[in-house]
Amino acid sequence: MTASHAIAAEEPDHLTRAGSRRADVDPLAALRAPGDPPWDVYLTGTVFLDIIFTGLDSAPVRGTESWARGMGSSPGGVANMATALARLGLRTSLAAAFGDDHYGEYCWDALAQGEGIDLTASRTVPGWHSPVTVSMAYEGERTMVSHGHEPPSGAVFLQEGAPDRPPRARAAVASLTPGTRAPWIAQAAREGTRIFADVGWDDTGAWDLSGLADLEHCEAFLPNAEEAKRYTGAGCPRVAAHALTAYVPVAVVTLGSEGAYAVDRRTGEAAEVPAIAVEALDPTGAGDVFVAGFVTGSLAGWPLADRLAFAGLTAALSVQEFGGSLSAPGWSEIGAWWRRVQALPGQDPAALRRYAFLDGIVPEELDRPWPLRRAVPTIGFRRSG
């Protein structure tokens, strides 16, 4: 059972125009061949409706009322990752539950029509309301309040007739949960899907790598510096990255304002790329965008240092915009940034060489300006007349 989710005369402009603005760069064009999997990346998780308040002078104070100068709405949660992948030109399939309320309809339309994400494996759940996150951005930080309930068991079928069998894809992105196995990960890995994994904070405090049982099926693991240190007991995140390669072929550790460090035990490569200095407006979804950039470069077969640099660049561009999925950059934004920094006087030649691989990838002509503001203030506008 699949709902159509067409909302007559109610889509905001960013939905009706986005379908014609699909990525004009296919990073995997040279690798595509008959018989390839239908999807480049598969992922599953919870979609939230994100409501983002911006322009706050400070964090909300108890007992007072704060007014925001800006507001936007967008799909959030796993939609941040799905959108980032799709905007980088990867054929993306998402399995998620959607509420049958207006929020769920809006998120479905924004992803399917606006971003071209395949939702064949997703389902609308009657009587289930969409999870919601309210995010307040100020001084480069954020405060979030979320509410939602687990969807009914069996609400999402990864593939008709085979609930533990994901669609065929080149890669999948999985969020590992300590002490829990996700059967679809092992199934996908057995069928040749390359698994890229991140992880959240371990609320149990155990920080035991053996508890991440699905790590054995993964090609790459991408924790942040604190997570990597806690899981390995190392005092240095770079040392932690090397220690993680005993469990997974590629370890990528994000270092915050210092950039990122990665090790590939199969090739013996190690790479470190500093962060790009930007004015951070909202960090929501930046980690998801980083992973999407790294997955894109990995599927395209780029060297480790280029993958790391590209992931950091996409994340840096995303924090200059408000919102999670709304801020994920596409190739026009990446191309505009590259041309802009090359034209600026006094650039460090070594820094420019780090991103020289973009010369053969970014589009010749940009189809929209940069920076780009995508946020819409409400769920939808009805057109008059």
Side-chain angles (χ1 to χ4, degrees):
M1 179 184 68
T2 304
S4 65
H5 292 273
I7 307 177
E10 194 172 349
E11 297 105 342
D13 285 346
H14 87 290
L15 292 186
T16 56
R17 291 198 308 264
S20 63
R21 287 199 316 235
R22 295 294 300 132
D24 47 9
V25 171
D26 180 358
L28 308 186
L31 303 175
R32 299 197 185 280
D36 282 348
W39 308 112
D40 296 327
V41 186
Y42 165 81
L43 62 166
T44 185
T46 302
V47 173
F48 286 76
L49 171 73
D50 281 357
I51 301 174
I52 307 104
F53 290 102
T54 66
L56 291 164
D57 294 322
S58 61
V61 178
R62 182 177 179 179
T64 68
E65 179 180 16
S66 300
W67 277 82
R69 292 187 290 274
M71 172 186 164
S73 305
S74 67
V78 71
N80 294 338
M81 178 82 70
T83 299
L85 291 163
R87 288 184 180 175
L88 293 176
L90 299 186
R91 300 169 184 175
T92 303
S93 178
L94 170 65
F98 289 78
D100 65 347
D101 49 14
H102 287 305
Y103 292 170
E105 292 176 337
Y106 167 79
C107 289
W108 185 290
D109 282 336
L111 297 174
Q113 298 179 29
E115 306 297 344
I117 295 166
D118 173 69
L119 298 180
T120 303
S122 294
R123 294 293 180 268
T124 295
V125 182
W128 182 65
H129 76 75
S130 301
V132 176
T133 291
V134 175
S135 177
M136 291 156 280
Y138 52 90
E139 299 176 350
E141 298 294 336
R142 60 178 173 165
T143 298
M144 297 187 295
V145 178
S146 297
H147 173 71
H149 302 282
E150 289 290 326
S153 177
V156 177
F157 297 92
L158 302 182
Q159 186 169 311
E160 291 291 346
D164 292 329
R165 185 185 181 92
R168 286 180 61 234
R170 296 173 188 265
V173 180
S175 184
L176 304 184
T177 302
T180 302
R181 279 189 181 271
W184 72 265
I185 296 177
Q187 177 66 38
R190 283 193 295 269
E191 296 190 0
T193 298
R194 300 164 65 179
I195 311 296
F196 296 78
D198 60 11
V199 68
W201 191 258
D202 186 355
D203 291 327
T204 69
W207 298 103
D208 182 5
L209 277 170
S210 65
L212 300 180
D214 286 322
L215 197 59
E216 65 178 322
H217 305 298
C218 298
E219 172 178 325
F221 184 43
L222 297 95
N224 64 33
E226 190 60 31
E227 292 160 350
K229 290 191 295 183
R230 287 176 180 265
Y231 271 118
T232 62
C236 168
R238 295 164 184 83
V239 173
H242 286 272
L244 287 171
T245 60
Y247 300 86
V248 65
V250 179
V252 181
V253 178
T254 54
L255 307 174
S257 61
E258 294 182 40
Y261 184 82
V263 184
D264 187 335
R265 77 157 185 250
R266 300 167 302 187
T267 63
E269 291 178 278
E272 181 166 357
V273 175
I276 297 173
V278 296
E279 180 183 356
L281 296 180
D282 182 5
T284 304
D288 294 324
V289 174
F290 181 95
V291 174
F294 190 82
V295 170
T296 299
S298 297
L299 293 184
W302 298 348
L304 185 63
D306 290 353
R307 286 181 268 164
L308 208 58
F310 185 71
L313 168 60
T314 55
L317 292 178
S318 77
V319 302
Q320 296 179 85
E321 307 291 335
F322 289 110
S325 62
L326 288 172
S327 67
W331 284 102
S332 286
E333 291 94 319
I334 295 166
W337 173 85
W338 178 229
R339 294 181 189 180
R340 181 169 174 264
V341 297
Q342 286 179 297
L344 291 174
Q347 289 292 323
D348 178 6
L352 289 176
R353 285 195 298 272
R354 184 177 296 119
Y355 297 92
F357 66 92
L358 292 173
D359 277 333
I361 304 171
V362 295
E364 291 291 330
E365 296 183 6
L366 306 180
D367 61 358
R368 52 197 183 274
W370 180 84
L372 178 67
R373 299 292 189 266
R374 291 189 178 93
V376 293
T378 61
I379 299 304
F381 293 103
R382 293 192 180 276
R383 297 186 180 90
S384 59

